[in-house]
Amino acid sequence: MPATSETASAQAIAQMAGDALEVTLTGAWQITAERPAWRQVLGAAQPGRVRLKAERVERWDTSLLLFLFEVQEWCRVTGAYCDVDALPEKIRTLLSQLAVAHETSVPFDRSESFLTAVGNASLDTVVKARAYSRFVGECVLGAVRLIRRPQKFRWRDCVHEMQQCGAMALPIVSLISFLVGVTLAYTGAIVLRQYGGDIYIADLIGLSMVREMGAVMTAVVIAGRTGAAFAATIGNMKANEEIDALESLGIPTVQFLVFPRIVALGIMMPLLTLYADALGILGGMAVALGLLRIPPAAYWTEMLTIVDLSDLWVGVIKATTFGLIIGLSGCLRGLQAERSAAGVGRAATSAVVTALLLLVIADAIYAVLFNILGW
Amino acid sequence: MAPLPSAAAPDAPVIEVENLSCAYESSVVLKDVTFQVSRGEIFFVIGGSGCGKSTLLRNLVGLHHPVGGSVKFFGVPFGAPDSAARRALLQTFGVLFQGGALWTSLTLRQNIALPLEEFTALSRREINEIAGLKLAQVGLGGFEDYFPSEISGGMRKRAGLARALALDPAVVFFDEPSAGLDPVTSRKLDELIMQVRDTFGTTIVVVSHELASIFSIADRVIMLDRVHKGIIAEGRPRELALQSRDSRVTEFLRRGDLLTTP
């Protein structure tokens, strides 16, 4: 029964009787309180037999079992006989359960050799690449089906996602883009001032933002913000068997969950990128005015001499591609998530890492491609 | 068993609930609920879906704060959130949630070890021994190093019980222990509950609408009703089923032929 503060603490009193040591257990044995140590109770004695009995034990729990187990183990090692017959049956039953649990508890070895780890990682990469390809294929086939039956597209979900990944992302995109423009301008000014080419800061910022930085920085922000959210949402739906419910009804997951998100990102990413371009140029303009004393009108006129519509198209094409990559990565990792809280977390992380990796690869491919095309 | 706060009265009922009212925002779920649970009793909270069983449990274990009334454990008021009294009392509770609520990033051994590491001064070896024992007691010996995702739903629930028992609590709360389990596993869980009570004298509070469990292990039940927003019956389940004049009670308890079984 539960003890109060007045309850006597656990005690084990040892007394030699011939070659036997009689150990009397008294008081309250509680797991959260201290208990006697067998070595101290034993002292210098070397009995051939240990007899255990319980007297006035007010309450007991696993603490008492641990003490008795310690005595039994000592007896086993030294060859002494451990007599527990005087203990209540409940205690003896639990003590035997503890002994069985101790014997059957074999640590589960999850380690693997270096070669096995490398082999598994290689196979895993192939499996993941295949899964990504299959998923992209499913999406393409789904898109074809959707073009044939456009009324099946979930516009309401799509608009909701557009608001979430577009309008709601405006503050963070504004801040990042403006600061990128400021940073680029400060860095460019160091070199350009040395050659008296201050005015060319407008060309540097304009071209960098429109062709590269606007799309890339927006994609990085959206990958961290929206890609991870897609993976977490879909992963959680999988853990809650919501995806199973869709599939059991014969509703294609890709059509229901993936398309609205990918289309939303495909539409919003170019718009966000154009907005980011404008904010980046504004940041550069502010530095040009404050640091290099270049009036905004001169800055604007100079920029238009180098930035044309084809540069804008380069940024927009990249942004659309990045949007599709982020959407696909987020949705795929969500669908692949394990059905647990940790699995959902891993899916979100994996979605961001996958998206960033593919973004960089796609950006490099576009750099080469546009160079060949002369854009 | 985990020691109780020094203010605890040894002869007081384990749980005293007086005029407890629970609400979610403006929606009142329970109003003026009063009952007591004695030491070593297996006490069931029963009722239809949406009657507030789980809400009552969440209020009892401090996961939700009542809008009125009081809850005392061993004569000690549950106290305000983050109070020392509440923290001391929480160590005397064990809770088995519906799905087991195991921490998925930890193995079963680590799940059981965590409360022991937090609240005892036991060595790593002793904690491992206890984890092994607790798992063996619920029939999961040999699964110490498995992760929750690697075992079945029934096993997760049993592992959840092993974790709830880690600190040898004075009171164990069960939220729908039979939900999602087959009849055999469900019956084994009932036997486990009986075993825990008989061995340690633990007080058991079970939220359930599983008639087989109610009739086989409950010492006393209270029945909640969604419309009444409170207790509509209290007593031994068999007596309530046979003698109650309230049609809501008899309708609930007289389903099937469970009463004819011994």
Side-chain angles (χ1 to χ4, degrees), chain B:
Chain B
M1 266 181 228
L4 299 173
S6 53
D11 300 325
V14 174
I15 305 172
E16 286 172 272
V17 176
E18 268 183 54
N19 300 321
L20 189 78
S21 297
C22 314
Y24 289 107
E25 294 177 359
S26 59
S27 160
V28 177
V29 181
L30 293 169
K31 219 164 46 182
D32 296 330
V33 171
T34 300
F35 64 90
Q36 292 187 345
V37 183
S38 308
R39 246 171 253 274
E41 196 172 25
I42 298 182
F43 184 84
F44 269 61
V45 180
I46 64 173
S49 299
C51 70
K53 300 187 295 290
S54 293
T55 303
L56 176 61
L57 183 87
R58 291 179 70 80
N59 277 268
L60 289 181
V61 300
L63 292 173
H64 196 257
H65 308 301
V67 290
S70 70
V71 180
K72 286 181 185 172
F73 289 92
F74 308 99
V76 181
F78 199 25
D82 297 326
S83 66
R86 176 174 287 208
R87 278 198 298 276
L89 277 172
L90 285 176
Q91 283 182 40
T92 67
F93 295 175
V95 184
L96 173 60
F97 293 95
Q98 262 193 48
L102 295 169
W103 297 301
T104 51
S105 59
L106 305 180
T107 62
L108 301 192
R109 187 198 303 278
Q110 290 165 337
N111 261 281
I112 296 164
L114 190 62
L116 292 164
E117 287 164 2
E118 286 293 315
F119 300 115
T120 71
L122 297 171
S123 67
R124 166 65 42 203
R125 187 184 59 78
E126 288 172 324
I127 287 175
N128 283 341
E129 296 287 1
I130 295 177
L133 171 67
K134 298 295 177 189
L135 285 170
Q137 283 178 332
V138 297
L140 288 176
F143 287 89
E144 289 84 356
D145 293 308
Y146 280 66
F147 283 96
S149 58
E150 296 171 332
I151 57 175
S152 70
M155 289 162 89
R156 275 202 284 274
K157 204 160 261 192
R158 280 187 281 155
L161 176 58
R163 187 184 65 187
L165 297 176
L167 287 169
D168 294 314
V171 191
V172 183
F173 295 92
F174 292 80
D175 190 7
E176 304 276 9
S178 307
L181 298 184
D182 64 82
V184 177
T185 313
S186 176
R187 186 166 180 163
K188 280 183 181 162
L189 198 63
D190 287 346
E191 286 166 6
L192 263 173
I193 293 171
M194 291 282 280
Q195 192 190 332
V196 169
R197 191 272 300 267
D198 293 345
T199 309
F200 295 111
T202 310
T203 305
I204 310 279
V205 177
V206 185
V207 162
S208 178
H209 47 213
E210 190 70 28
L211 287 184
S213 295
I214 294 167
F215 285 115
S216 60
I217 64 169
D219 291 327
R220 205 155 56 86
V221 302
I222 53 168
M223 184 169 172
L224 304 178
D225 182 69
R226 191 161 56 92
V227 178
H228 186 76
K229 296 185 193 301
I231 299 172
I232 54 167
E234 183 172 357
R236 295 181 182 282
R238 206 162 288 271
E239 287 168 10
L240 283 179
L242 296 170
Q243 294 165 10
S244 176
R245 290 179 183 172
D246 190 326
S247 62
R248 293 168 298 183
V249 178
T250 49
E251 198 181 338
F252 185 90
L253 289 171
R254 286 184 191 167
R255 281 176 302 168
D257 57 355
L258 284 157
L259 277 172
T260 59
T261 57

